Amino acid sequence: MVVDTHRNQVNFIGLSKEAVAAAYRSLPVIVIVSVCWCILAPTIVLLGPATATAVAAAGNILRGDRFRLHTALSVFRQYFWRSQLPLVPTLIVIDIAGLSWLQFLRTGELAYGLLAFLSIDILTVLSVLLLYYYPLLVDGNRSARKTARQSTELVMMRLIPTIGLVAFCLSVGVLFGFTVVGFVLLGPGMIATILILATRYLSAGVEPM
């Protein structure tokens, strides 16, 4: 059993085995999606749509469907605006944290340092609350507001597994990150596969409000 919803536990070894097996069956798609994500992500504007496309590709792989170029383009266009929702507040908070820290270094005023640390805390909470946003958006095709609310509700109901999932995804990213080539070729695609698989398991039996 990968997820025990009654005990709020996730078997991450089983989850990774299932994700790796699915990715191995469609390795060329994982590689192409990962490379495209790494190319588009630095633009910031295309980071959201690229992430939604990577998650959609992972969803198709898990279902055993083929993910073609026209499918990728369709997903990219379909979720372009809705995929921006997690990025806007995230970038604002990052800007506040960065500017506050620079002001603290320049002036030495404690208030700026506290604001920088508070912004980092807010950024961490925000990232966790929106962890399931892209998988839920792709699978549910709801409005951005409803998807964000559903992600927040799922985090609250599955808080302990969510914290474990965040740590697990970060560990996978660091593991691939030891070699830049490894991350570029496999990192985004594998993390997207793990994330959408975990979301489907954890959201089972949870009624959207």
Side-chain angles (χ1 to χ4, degrees):
M1 181 180 291
V2 174
V3 174
D4 187 341
T5 54
H6 297 291
R7 296 182 180 180
N8 244 2
Q9 295 178 345
V10 177
N11 180 352
F12 287 106
I13 295 177
L15 181 68
S16 60
K17 285 182 178 179
E18 191 170 340
V20 168
Y24 181 77
R25 291 193 299 268
S26 301
L27 191 57
V29 176
I30 291 292
V31 171
I32 293 172
V33 165
S34 296
V35 171
C36 289
W37 187 91
C38 290
I39 293 173
L40 297 176
T43 65
I44 303 301
V45 175
L46 301 180
L47 172 58
T51 303
T53 303
V55 171
N60 277 39
I61 289 171
L62 291 170
R63 289 193 301 270
D65 298 334
R66 301 186 69 177
F67 194 75
R68 299 177 181 274
L69 177 60
H70 69 84
T71 307
L73 294 175
S74 176
V75 170
F76 194 90
R77 290 193 301 268
Q78 182 179 3
Y79 298 112
F80 185 88
W81 293 111
R82 283 178 289 173
S83 65
Q84 306 291 349
L85 183 140
L87 301 179
V88 175
T90 299
L91 292 175
I92 291 174
V93 175
I94 289 175
D95 287 340
I96 293 174
L99 292 173
S100 300
W101 184 248
L102 290 175
Q103 284 292 98
F104 172 70
L105 294 177
R106 188 175 66 85
T107 64
E109 293 187 20
L110 182 60
Y112 287 116
L114 292 175
L115 180 59
F117 282 109
L118 177 61
S119 299
I120 293 173
D121 290 339
I122 293 173
L123 180 63
T124 302
V125 172
L126 185 64
S127 299
V128 173
L129 291 178
L130 294 175
L131 178 66
Y132 304 111
Y133 181 85
Y134 289 105
L136 292 171
L137 177 66
V138 170
D139 275 349
N141 196 19
R142 297 181 178 88
S143 68
R145 194 177 80 172
K146 287 184 178 179
T147 304
R149 185 177 67 180
Q150 190 179 0
S151 177
T152 301
E153 291 169 353
L154 184 56
V155 169
M156 295 303 179
M157 296 186 69
R158 306 282 190 240
L159 183 58
I160 295 176
T162 295
I163 294 173
L165 182 60
V166 170
F168 184 67
C169 288
L170 288 175
S171 300
V172 172
V174 171
L175 180 64
F176 284 115
F178 278 118
T179 60
V180 176
V181 174
F183 182 84
V184 171
L185 293 179
L186 297 172
M190 281 302 306
I191 293 174
T193 304
I194 291 169
L195 189 56
I196 193 169
L197 183 62
T199 303
R200 288 175 178 177
Y201 275 125
L202 291 171
S203 61
V206 176
E207 294 294 330
M209 296 179 63

